[in-house]
Amino acid sequence: MDKKEIKKRIKKLCDEINHHRYLYHVLDREEISEGALDSLKNELFKLEQEYPEFITPDSPTQRVEGRPLEKFEKVTHDPPMLSLFDAFSEQDMADWESRTKKIINSKIPTSLKLRGTSANSHFAKAARGRQKSKIALDYYCELKFDGLAMSLRYENGLFVRGATRGDGKVGEDVTNNLKTIESIPLRLRKPNEAELKKIGLDSWQINQLLNAVENSEIVIRGEALMAKKVFNGLNEKYKKEGKKLLANPRNGAAGSIRQLNPKIAAERKLDFYVYGIANATDFRFKTHEQEIKLAELFGLKILRDNKYCESMDEVNRFHAHWEKNREKLPMEVDGVVVKVNNLALWPVLGIVGKGPRYAMAYKFAAEQVTTMLKSAVWQIGRTGILTPIGILEPVRVGGVTVSHVTLHNMDEIERLDLRIGDTVIIERAGDVIPKVIQVLPKMREGKEQKILSPENCPICGSPAERAPGEVALRCTNKDCYAVTLRRLSHWTSKAAMNIEGLGPKVVEQLVKEGLVSDAADFYTLSEDDVKPLERFADKSAENLVKAINEKKEVDLARFIYGLGIRHVGEETALLLAERITNYKLQITNLLDVLKIFQSIKIKKLEEIEDIGPIVAKSIYEWFRDVKNVELLRKFEKNGIIITQHATRNMQQNEFKGKTFVLTGTLDGLTRNDAKAKIRELGGKISSAVSKNTDFVVAGENPGSKLDKAGELRVRVINEEEFVKLIF
Ligand code: IVH
């Protein structure tokens, strides 16, 4: 190749590499593999080494200039780089919209002569809207990147200077570091006419633009940031190398931009997204949307999820969607930037202080907040591992209310030096389970208590142990988890609290997530606690919490049965309810129930018909166990109200004092309905046939109880006869 051909080849290589950069870094497409692209870059590098006279400033090899800087030079921004005002709620946004409309109303004269502007211009439309006294504003919504604001200056199409925001007026020249970012073109791409027409530009604008790309200046504003994937990858690498980890992607990006050595900056692989063209007025764009789309045609990267919104309702929907789905984005974002789309209105609205009136940062709910750790409880897992759960002063974080948080294990508690009563920082990012990330020790008052590792399983009382080399504490009773689930499912079951939608599967989900460790915990669940669980959505979470709260008023007999006291079935619970109602006629307070049970002597319990010494002992001990007493107090605190148990109908009838055993499936009524009816009429129910049984009601496919009835000569009736008896 002669020199002329070499120069040509170098130019071709530059264009080809740049084309693939545009495809890959801006349009997210790939036409050739990374290996193939590397070999093009290699060839270019070698040719340029041999013929340095052909190196151009926009050559892809010029991204990393090896020369470390002494310090960054100052750069003056023209126009200045502004900040945004924040909004935190739909109300804030509605207020902003009405303020905006008011200003437009007062500043655009109704009799406006629209000289020089076409009747269809946005300015004209806004003015006509004013005549109708109702201005319809439309918006362009972008995500608010959590990175660093940058200004890029292109002269005659060439990237000449990149600067940090600084104080908005003067920033620092970080051109060499920005050149290492592949999504920043070293030369602006020249769009073709068809592309420009497609985004709605007229011929005057097209001419102006094409001229500017080649012969004038264009100032781009946007955000330099580190993608989450890059951040995680770098931290993994730093961890292996024993280096200090990056605190978050934003710090990663800041550290990179502030590197005096561009080689180190290059390693951090930053990204750059555009959010504006600072000298947009030179081209008389109609809308901000056009401005952003043009930036993409210039070869810069925009976020494709940006959206034109016709109304504030649509803006609110966009915000709600991304607040919920922000973790799906490749970068960290902390809100939505809402801009009035009609650029003609920007100078009308103007700037106050450092911020424009035509835009608003509509923030997402904070992902880190402080709250207080009220207590810690232990939860048993499927494999017997005991996990400490922190009970928090409920707090809103990441858009939900959090009241429980897993503390993982004792090592984690010690690492955090966490104590009960501490003020802590909670983080909930996306749908990730909330966690305590830091304790604020200076906030301590001296009353805070250490969290101790229990010697016995706080759930079943068996010894708890920590196997050598393991961080986890285990309950030595291998059935403990199953027992917990059974106990909680028993509480929610039809015969006890009868809470709709709270079957064993959901109970297990709640236990697994650490939301529930005893039955009283059901009553503090919020919709936000339930929503993140698998198979739950807004409506189902609302229904579940409603179903639980509807059952806060509990029939005394059901309550006693639900406690799951050994040997206390439905019938015994009923007897006990009747008996203690005789002690005190008006029972609504759970503490009354506790007091009565604690004052009944074991002998008295044995006097109750059908309660033998074993059952009496079990009841007696249950109400004297500290853990159970605590549970009853917790029920009371969480709003459980006892309703008086309806005593049995004592009229003379077939049922009074009679004992029934049900067997087989009943056709016309449920077993629970049948039981309720028998009790209502003064009868009793037993689960086993004995000589004291008066009737065995046999449905379809009766079991061995029927044979037993035959043996003992107990009267057997079928469903039809039974129904006749009860109605
Ligand atoms: S527009 C007119 N759009 O937010 C104001 N800013 O407080 C110019 N930011 O320093 C900014 N994403 O770094 C705009 N889509 C976006 C943004 C965005 C993040 C940052 C920017 C600026 C700060 C404003």
Side-chain angles (χ1 to χ4, degrees), residues 82-84 142-145 149 165 223 275 337 339 356:
L82 303 172
S83 340
L84 293 164
E142 293 158 44
L143 282 140
K144 187 169 188 300
F145 308 113
R165 179 178 181 277
E223 197 93 340
Y275 51 66
V337 180
K339 297 174 187 165

Side-chain angles (χ1 to χ4, degrees), residues 679-722:
R679 289 189 188 118
E680 195 186 305
L681 295 168
K684 289 186 292 187
I685 293 145
S686 172
S687 53
V689 181
S690 74
K691 57 183 188 326
N692 296 328
T693 311
D694 296 292
F695 293 97
V696 168
V697 182
E700 283 283 307
N701 302 323
S704 59
K705 290 176 189 170
L706 189 62
D707 305 333
K708 185 93 183 179
E711 259 170 51
L712 297 173
R713 298 179 168 277
V714 174
R715 190 172 156 198
V716 178
I717 52 173
N718 63 21
E719 186 174 345
E720 206 180 322
E721 290 167 298
F722 173 65

Side-chain angles (χ1 to χ4, degrees), residues 283-415:
F283 314 109
R284 293 200 212 138
F285 296 127
K286 289 178 192 148
T287 64
H288 179 61
E289 185 181 14
Q290 268 179 343
E291 189 185 319
I292 296 296
K293 287 194 170 149
L294 178 68
E296 189 175 25
L297 295 179
F298 277 159
L300 288 141
K301 194 166 180 172
I302 63 165
L303 189 65
R304 292 286 179 77
D305 302 289
N306 293 343
K307 190 171 183 282
Y308 165 78
C309 290
E310 211 172 28
S311 65
M312 193 50 85
D313 278 350
E314 216 180 322
V315 170
N316 285 327
R317 282 198 293 277
F318 181 81
H319 180 271
H321 172 79
W322 285 112
E323 175 151 55
K324 212 169 166 188
N325 293 291
R326 63 175 129 167
E327 83 280 6
K328 292 189 187 139
L329 289 168
M331 75 289 285
E332 294 210 326
V333 294
D334 58 359
V336 171
V337 180
V338 186
K339 297 174 187 165
V340 169
N341 196 32
N342 181 349
L343 289 184
L345 296 174
W346 285 23
V348 176
L349 291 162
I351 291 161
V352 259
K354 282 185 178 177
R357 284 208 195 93
Y358 50 79
M360 198 56 128
Y362 185 2
K363 302 294 279 283
F364 292 145
E367 291 186 323
Q368 282 188 9
V369 294
T370 58
T371 187
M372 186 184 276
L373 179 71
K374 293 199 299 186
S375 61
V377 294
W378 293 82
Q379 168 215 322
I380 186 83
R382 186 190 283 282
T383 52
I385 289 179
L386 288 164
T387 307
I389 303 290
I391 310 294
L392 305 170
E393 190 57 52
V395 65
R396 276 194 78 75
V397 54
V400 303
T401 304
V402 171
S403 53
H404 302 70
V405 69
T406 174
L407 303 175
H408 303 287
N409 50 52
M410 282 309 291
D411 279 12
E412 175 70 0
I413 291 173
E414 275 154 28
R415 186 186 69 80

Side-chain angles (χ1 to χ4, degrees), residues 196-197 200-208 283-284 286 290:
L196 294 170
K197 273 198 180 133
L201 300 188
D202 60 30
S203 7
W204 181 88
Q205 289 170 314
I206 292 175
N207 271 340
Q208 199 74 3
F283 314 109
R284 293 200 212 138
K286 289 178 192 148
Q290 268 179 343

Side-chain angles (χ1 to χ4, degrees), residues 5 115 218 234 333 390 404 429 460 489 505 525-526 629 699:
E5 281 168 333
R115 220 175 294 136
I218 291 175
L234 273 179
V333 294
H404 302 70
C460 73
S489 301
K505 276 213 178 101
L525 287 174
S526 69
V629 173

